[in-house]
Amino acid sequence: MELIPPHTTTYKLTAEDESGQAATAATTVLVGPPRTKLLEVSVNKIEVKKGEMVTLCFKAVNATSYDVGRLRPAAVNSPGHACFADFPQQTKTYKVQVSGPGGTDSEKVTVKVQ
């Protein structure tokens, strides 16, 4: 049987053996907004020469906003998918964070500069 509770609900199950001894267990299903989740964070290269262009992209679900530091979108731009261009002068760790009603999720990726 499939149940889809409209709000947080506790379900109890009681089982009784042949002698009348009962055992009870309970579980609570928390209902809320769907979880905000990064599906993918990618860079076109993980090692570049000083000043060479790096493209950083991400895909997410249930996101209403994102933060990647001071980078500005270079292509596709929505809370669930965006790409950025950068020209790092030294090894750099990029952090992508997405937020939504279901929380936040983040991931880091490092690009090594030769």
Side-chain angles (χ1 to χ4, degrees):
M1 172 181 359
E2 183 176 314
L3 299 173
I4 303 173
H7 48 80
T8 299
T9 304
T10 299
Y11 294 95
K12 290 184 183 179
L13 175 65
T14 302
E16 196 173 288
D17 66 15
E18 298 168 351
S19 64
Q21 294 239 348
T24 301
T27 189
T28 300
V29 176
L30 300 175
V31 176
R35 188 170 144 213
T36 302
K37 177 81 177 132
L38 273 167
L39 300 175
E40 177 184 326
V41 174
S42 63
V43 291
N44 63 327
K45 296 181 179 180
I46 58 169
E47 193 168 310
V48 296
K49 294 178 182 169
K50 184 177 181 178
E52 186 178 350
M53 186 174 84
V54 171
T55 302
L56 169 75
C57 296
F58 77 86
K59 291 181 184 176
V61 291
N62 304 314
T64 55
S65 65
Y66 62 81
D67 180 18
V68 288
R70 295 186 174 151
L71 295 181
R72 298 292 167 244
V76 183
N77 179 18
S78 75
H81 182 209
C83 292
F84 308 85
D86 194 26
F87 302 88
Q89 299 299 306
Q90 60 190 26
T91 297
K92 186 172 184 178
T93 298
Y94 299 92
K95 180 182 177 184
V96 176
Q97 180 171 307
V98 292
S99 301
T104 61
D105 193 14
S106 64
E107 189 172 319
K108 293 179 182 178
V109 62
T110 300
V111 174
K112 182 178 177 183
V113 174
Q114 301 172 343

